[in-house]
Amino acid sequence: MPENVGQRTRHVPLVLVETGNLSREEWLACRRQGIGGSDVAGIMGISPFRTARDVYYDKLNIGRRGSR
């Protein structure tokens, strides 16, 4: 029997970009390059705040009528 049976390994997240020292504009540019956890709920249609279209427009940096 392997020695590590029953032991849990800790998952270490992959950090693609260190965002601590980025300006807001740089941070938004990095955020638009991928799908984050908050984007998934909108894509799946279960977010009360965003739709899949909202995520799509955000990733392409397309302004929406009536938005902020």
Side-chain angles (χ1 to χ4, degrees), residues 39-61:
D39 299 323
V40 174
I43 293 167
M44 302 273 305
I46 59 175
S47 172
F49 306 106
R50 300 179 79 197
T51 66
R53 181 180 290 171
D54 292 331
V55 174
Y56 177 77
Y57 284 175
D58 183 46
K59 297 303 172 185
L60 295 178
N61 199 20

Side-chain angles (χ1 to χ4, degrees), residues 2-52:
E3 292 179 30
N4 61 354
V5 169
Q7 294 179 357
R8 298 181 118 183
T9 56
R10 184 180 171 113
H11 175 74
V12 178
L14 176 62
V15 177
L16 299 177
V17 177
E18 182 57 53
T19 59
N21 296 320
L22 296 180
S23 68
R24 178 165 172 75
E25 292 76 24
E26 292 169 323
W27 173 77
L28 285 171
C30 289
R31 189 168 187 259
R32 285 189 182 106
Q33 293 179 5
I35 302 295
S38 60
D39 299 323
V40 174
I43 293 167
M44 302 273 305
I46 59 175
S47 172
F49 306 106
R50 300 179 79 197
T51 66

Side-chain angles (χ1 to χ4, degrees), residues 53-54 57 62-68:
R53 181 180 290 171
D54 292 331
Y57 284 175
I62 297 172
R64 292 170 283 161
R65 281 187 270 159
S67 66
R68 309 167 218 152

